[in-house]
Amino acid sequence: MNPFNDEYFMKQALVEARAAAAEGEVPVGAVIVCNNQIIARAHNQTERLNDPTAHAEMLAITAAVGVLGAKYLTGCSLYVTVEPCVMCAGAIGWAQISTIVYGASDEKRGFQQYAPKALHPKAVVRKGIMETACMEEMQNFFRQKR
């Protein structure tokens, strides 16, 4: 049995999402995995950095290419708690990430509705991994904000 499965890595992304919430950021967390090893982890920092592009996925991609010393992340997997937005999907596509795994769908801003072909054509998408936990993280955050 492989302990390093989708649930294991999504739990790591949830750790990042909770760190974002603790900082007052929208709780989205991401990890990038290569050869069953986390090479990058990040969470939203749009408020902290005063930067609308500082999404978890964007920050994780930047960290991962720095670790690998390459601009393409072919053979890597991205685990993110919420469906990427169009901007992030474009970056994921340009980075040529092979597998995208997300928890909760985002019907308002998710890429699947607006730009379903933004990812690399060979990319594999798995959705709904730990969906309830990921969705509850977002709901709890916005419930406290109201």
Side-chain angles (χ1 to χ4, degrees):
M1 183 169 128
N2 180 7
F4 301 112
N5 57 20
D6 285 349
E7 272 198 15
Y8 173 83
F9 291 118
M10 189 60 73
K11 285 178 184 175
Q12 296 302 307
L14 273 165
V15 168
E16 288 296 320
R18 291 179 184 122
E23 296 171 11
E25 299 279 357
V26 173
V28 177
V31 297
I32 295 181
V33 176
C34 198
N35 298 321
N36 272 342
Q37 186 173 14
I38 296 173
I39 61 168
R41 53 190 326 133
H43 56 269
N44 277 3
Q45 293 189 37
T46 59
E47 300 299 324
R48 179 180 189 204
L49 299 176
N50 198 31
D51 179 356
T53 69
H55 290 194
E57 302 95 321
M58 302 292 277
L59 298 172
I61 289 169
T62 299
V65 297
V67 167
L68 295 180
K71 69 178 179 178
Y72 298 120
L73 299 174
T74 308
C76 295
S77 299
L78 167 71
Y79 290 82
V80 61
T81 56
V82 178
E83 178 184 350
C85 70
V86 174
M87 172 186 70
C88 291
I92 292 163
W94 284 111
Q96 297 184 17
I97 294 175
S98 298
T99 305
I100 298 86
V101 182
Y102 66 86
S105 294
D106 185 348
E107 294 169 13
K108 292 182 182 176
R109 297 176 190 243
F111 81 95
Q112 296 251 354
Q113 180 175 345
Y114 298 103
K117 295 183 180 183
L119 304 178
H120 190 274
K122 294 182 181 177
V124 173
V125 177
R126 291 195 294 273
K127 56 186 176 179
I129 306 301
M130 296 188 66
E131 182 175 21
T132 302
C134 294
M135 195 170 17
E136 286 174 353
E137 199 64 42
M138 290 291 277
Q139 289 170 340
N140 291 340
F141 177 80
F142 285 109
R143 194 175 300 120
Q144 290 175 1
K145 286 281 189 193
R146 291 184 188 121

